[in-house]
Amino acid sequence: MFSNLLRKGKKIIPYSLALTLLFSACKKEKEVEPTTQTPTSPTTPPSSGNKDECLTASALDNGQVIPGQYIVKYAETGEKLGTRTFHKVLRSNKIDPEKILRTFDGNLKGVAIKLETGEVEKLKKDPNIEYLEQDKIVSISDCPARVEYQAAGWGAKRVGHAEGSGKYVWIIDTGVDLSHPDLVVDAYKSKSFIPGTTVNDDHGHGTHVAGIIAAKDNGFGVVGVASGATVIALKSMDAQGKGSISNIIAAVQHIEQNGKAGDVVNMSLGGGYSPSLDKEVLNAANKGFVFSIAAGNSGIKADSSSPARVDHPNIYTVSAMDSTDTFASFSNYGKTVDYCAPGVKILSTYKNGGYATISGTSMAAPHMAGILVMRGKNFKKDGSVKNDPDGSADPIPHL
């Protein structure tokens, strides 16, 4: 930890450039890089309620429908559809099966597919189809900023941290830096849902989330809540920070098929309302998988965003607070939020072996995930957040 190094008189080489990003559930303030390049001006100004923050809103296209792309759910009644039989259904409606982008084999049986308007109308009338939902974008927005030094993060100190070696966590995000010296990543179990890519994080958001949960307690860098736990990366967003709801659904189904009850899943993401995503997350929770989900950064009720709106004993939707236990003005709130965790100016790991300071509920959720990895549901509460806008203060979790 940096504080230990400083007390021992060891030198820490400062980094000079920081790059700030916002995920649908996070705002990146500072990316620490060994370069002297002057950052450009922010593309989006900070919100008036968070003058010390950069970007408090989601990327402009986050949650927008993807034209011509649909999630098709097979009907529960009638002919039991599989890949081959569904191809027959498509052909009977004069739709080319080559338009299928992805097949869902879990609780949500169906496909992601490209369709024209006339083809959509045909499938809506087919008794083998329960419903069609337009696929949506999950997207990240960037904002440059500058930082002159690194400092120990406060989040893990606030909620507690412990040795987590031998434990593991699933992270649905932009991937994870496979060679980061502060992380343990199971590359074999990890999987990319972005065609033509590995699970290596070429964006940075997923690596930052991973460090909050599981950075090693090794004398340098940062310390995760479940220090040294193994990360399994499910890459659902690309280098530009863009993915789709159908990617996220596929990642959840992958966990259902390859994990076991009690496994912890972090989802620092959201892309608007999606009944298909909500159903799949709820199904996984019913099977015993435990989710930590970012509440969102729009300063509105969390029940307007999927999967933050899903309510279940195995689903923890998390709002964000600052180092004074005060509710972050950017954080979503409401009855679907279960806990509040550190989410303002959180230092953690970043792509290319670096470190970054980021703010958002994307950072709050992995603090909760780390606690769940270490304690399951048997964790403590340590007070409540101040100034919760819904009038019912969210409790603060602790190991």
Side-chain angles (χ1 to χ4, degrees), residues 2 18-21 25-32 46 49-56 145-147 149-158 208 212 222-223 297 320-330 341-349 355-364 366-367:
F2 287 110
L19 191 65
T20 303
L21 70 86
C26 94
K27 306 181 306 306
K28 180 163 185 194
E29 291 178 341
K30 307 166 184 176
E31 174 190 351
V32 186
N50 296 283
K51 293 182 179 179
D52 61 332
E53 307 295 337
C54 189
L55 279 181
T56 58
R146 181 182 291 275
V147 65
Y149 61 90
Q150 290 187 63
W154 64 273
K157 293 180 181 179
R158 178 63 182 87
H208 195 274
I212 294 171
V222 292
V223 176
N297 283 356
M321 68 181 189
D322 65 18
S323 58
T324 68
D325 291 358
T326 300
F327 201 89
S329 61
F330 57 76
V344 178
K345 296 182 179 178
I346 305 298
L347 179 69
S348 185
T349 49
Y355 296 87
T357 300
I358 308 180
S359 295
T361 57
S362 271
M363 285 60 255
H367 282 93

Side-chain angles (χ1 to χ4, degrees), residues 220-236:
F220 68 89
V222 292
V223 176
V225 177
S227 310
T230 298
V231 171
I232 305 174
L234 299 183
K235 186 175 184 177
S236 302

Side-chain angles (χ1 to χ4, degrees), residues 45-365:
S47 74
S48 58
N50 296 283
K51 293 182 179 179
D52 61 332
E53 307 295 337
C54 189
L55 279 181
T56 58
S58 301
L60 293 178
D61 60 354
N62 187 62
Q64 292 183 3
V65 299
I66 302 174
Q69 188 163 311
Y70 293 82
I71 297 168
V72 177
K73 170 75 165 60
Y74 301 160
E76 299 294 334
T77 57
E79 184 179 4
K80 186 175 180 180
L81 296 183
T83 300
R84 292 183 179 180
T85 50
F86 182 62
H87 284 190
K88 293 179 181 179
V89 170
L90 290 178
R91 290 191 181 97
S92 68
N93 287 284
K94 299 182 179 179
I95 301 172
D96 188 350
E98 292 296 321
K99 291 188 173 186
I100 295 174
L101 302 173
R102 187 186 302 283
T103 299
F104 304 123
D105 294 320
N107 178 65
L108 175 71
K109 293 188 182 298
V111 297
I113 187 171
K114 290 285 188 181
L115 295 171
E116 297 175 7
T117 302
E119 295 171 331
V120 171
E121 295 306 315
K122 289 179 182 178
L123 288 183
K124 284 182 177 179
K125 297 175 182 178
D126 195 303
N128 292 294
I129 306 303
E130 183 175 331
Y131 68 82
L132 290 85
E133 173 190 336
Q134 275 206 277
D135 206 352
K136 296 184 181 71
I137 294 171
V138 176
S139 187
I140 295 169
S141 180
D142 291 315
C143 178
R146 181 182 291 275
V147 65
E148 297 300 333
Y149 61 90
Q150 290 187 63
W154 64 273
K157 293 180 181 179
R158 178 63 182 87
V159 303
H161 58 87
E163 178 58 44
S165 297
K167 299 179 182 296
Y168 61 90
V169 59
W170 301 87
I171 298 178
I172 303 176
D173 215 290
T174 62
V176 174
D177 183 352
L178 295 175
S179 59
H180 201 292
D182 228 358
L183 296 173
V184 179
V185 186
D186 189 329
Y188 177 75
K189 291 183 179 179
S190 298
K191 182 175 181 178
S192 175
F193 296 89
I194 305 298
T197 70
T198 70
V199 297
N200 195 56
D201 187 5
D202 39 17
H203 185 277
H205 185 270
T207 302
H208 195 274
V209 167
I212 294 171
I213 300 173
K216 303 174 188 176
D217 189 356
N218 53 8
F220 68 89
V222 292
V223 176
V225 177
S227 310
T230 298
V231 171
I232 305 174
L234 299 183
K235 186 175 184 177
S236 302
M237 273 81 56
D238 61 18
Q240 286 70 48
K242 186 169 292 189
S244 65
I245 292 293
S246 57
N247 285 354
I248 309 302
I249 292 171
V252 175
Q253 289 196 346
H254 179 82
I255 295 170
E256 292 178 79
Q257 295 161 2
N258 295 277
K260 65 180 186 301
D263 286 359
V264 176
V265 184
N266 190 86
M267 298 181 75
S268 289
L269 53 84
Y273 172 58
S274 169
S276 296
L277 178 57
D278 290 348
K279 283 184 178 181
E280 197 59 53
V281 170
L282 184 61
N283 180 70
N286 283 330
K287 291 180 178 179
F289 293 93
V290 182
F291 290 83
S292 182
I293 300 174
N297 283 356
S298 301
I300 60 176
K301 291 184 178 180
D303 59 9
S304 62
S305 177
S306 298
R309 63 190 303 276
V310 183
D311 191 21
H312 188 279
N314 287 335
I315 297 175
Y316 295 81
T317 298
V318 190
S319 58
M321 68 181 189
D322 65 18
S323 58
T324 68
D325 291 358
T326 300
F327 201 89
S329 61
F330 57 76
S331 178
N332 287 358
Y333 56 88
K335 64 181 181 180
T336 62
V337 176
D338 301 291
Y339 286 88
C340 189
V344 178
K345 296 182 179 178
I346 305 298
L347 179 69
S348 185
T349 49
Y350 201 64
K351 67 177 180 179
N352 299 326
Y355 296 87
T357 300
I358 308 180
S359 295
T361 57
S362 271
M363 285 60 255

